[in-house]
Amino acid sequence: MISLQNLIDSLDKTKLDAAIVSMGNLSLLKTAFKKAKREGKLSVAFIGGSITQGFCSSDEKSCFAYLSYLWFRENFPESEI
């Protein structure tokens, strides 16, 4: 299975830069990461449509939400996600 980081690393940098319009407020993510480390627990929710759900993906474990979950588990192994 491909990890989220491997997927990101495999993307064409020029196309990725062109696709990102705004990174948003990353301080909110930093706060969530600190909470995961401090409390050992983090709730993650996804709002979206068919792409977020994994429409046309080969299986449920290749959708965006599940790959993101794997990233959190890999980066916060002591936390309950």
Side-chain angles (χ1 to χ4, degrees):
M1 176 178 288
I2 188 168
S3 74
L4 185 57
Q5 188 59 51
N6 288 343
L7 176 63
I8 291 169
D9 291 343
S10 71
L11 297 175
D12 180 295
K13 178 90 170 103
T14 304
K15 290 179 182 178
L16 185 60
D17 288 343
I20 298 174
V21 176
S22 172
M23 293 296 288
N25 184 349
L26 297 180
S27 68
L28 299 173
L29 281 175
K30 289 180 184 179
T31 300
F33 294 162
K34 287 178 185 175
K35 178 182 178 185
K37 286 185 178 182
R38 183 181 63 247
E39 298 180 13
K41 183 184 276 190
L42 183 66
S43 295
V44 180
F46 291 86
I47 300 172
S50 59
I51 294 172
T52 306
Q53 181 184 359
F55 179 74
C56 285
S57 60
S58 56
D59 61 36
E60 68 277 356
K61 292 186 177 181
S62 62
C63 73
F64 176 73
Y66 189 77
L67 292 173
S68 298
Y69 164 76
L70 292 178
W71 182 90
F72 276 100
R73 294 294 305 150
E74 183 178 312
N75 288 277
F76 301 95
E78 302 299 320
S79 296
E80 176 185 338
I81 307 296

